[in-house]
Amino acid sequence: VLAYKVRVDKDPNDVEALEAMGNVNLSLGRFDDAKEWYERALKVDPSRAGTRMDLALSLRYLGQPDEAIAELKQVLKKDPKNAAALYNLGIILLEDKNDKQGAIARWESLMKAHPNYPQTAQLRQLVESIKHPPSSSPTSPSGG
């Protein structure tokens, strides 16, 4: 961490050091600090999709799902088949916005574009369980 801090102090536009500082803070659960480092990195180089996705993750953990969604959509505007962005956007839409159809649409796009994506089997099951939830059968009265 100290080495990256020294690099940033020496060159405030060292985008790799800025991103690394964001990553360290993200892994430590310091989401406000991570957000600031990622934003600084993106001011230097707005085209860094990985940094933007990490910023989205920080924003989500800060309870700002709309801002996280906006960052992921920026990644997808430049790279509509970005697997990580599609996956994470689906997660945020489902878990934070309760937008089941939006989540399904992103995941189906992901599975179509990347049939060998590591989480494909899980996503297929999740999509099916959302589309066809198990019907709750009436419980039989217990005797006793």
Side-chain angles (χ1 to χ4, degrees):
V1 175
L2 188 56
Y4 291 120
K5 182 72 172 106
V6 168
R7 282 176 55 181
V8 171
D9 288 344
K10 195 181 280 186
D11 177 7
N13 292 326
D14 184 338
V15 72
E16 289 169 2
L18 292 167
E19 183 177 11
M21 290 296 292
N23 293 342
V24 167
N25 282 283
L26 182 65
S27 67
L28 293 173
R30 294 190 222 152
F31 306 120
D32 276 325
D33 292 334
K35 174 184 172 255
E36 288 178 32
W37 288 107
Y38 292 136
E39 287 174 340
R40 284 180 62 185
L42 289 168
K43 280 182 186 162
V44 176
D45 183 359
S47 69
R48 295 177 73 90
T51 306
R52 195 165 296 284
M53 287 189 286
D54 290 337
L55 172 59
L57 190 58
S58 299
L59 290 165
R60 180 182 185 223
Y61 288 138
L62 288 168
Q64 300 172 3
D66 293 331
E67 291 83 352
I69 289 167
E71 293 298 332
L72 292 171
K73 285 185 174 180
Q74 273 195 274
V75 172
L76 291 169
K77 189 187 288 185
K78 291 183 180 175
D79 180 8
K81 294 181 180 182
N82 184 299
L86 288 166
Y87 179 83
N88 288 323
L89 183 54
I91 294 289
I92 294 170
L93 288 172
L94 180 66
E95 294 182 0
D96 299 320
K97 303 301 286 181
N98 198 30
D99 179 357
K100 295 175 183 174
Q101 296 311 309
I104 287 171
R106 285 358 177 260
W107 292 333
E108 286 179 339
S109 295
L110 165 60
M111 291 183 288
K112 182 178 180 185
H114 305 278
N116 297 322
Y117 189 70
Q119 283 85 13
T120 295
Q122 289 174 291
L123 285 178
R124 274 202 184 92
Q125 287 179 337
L126 185 54
V127 166
E128 283 306 307
S129 71
I130 294 169
K131 285 182 174 179
H132 309 289
S135 59
S136 55
S137 57
T139 57
S140 59
S142 58

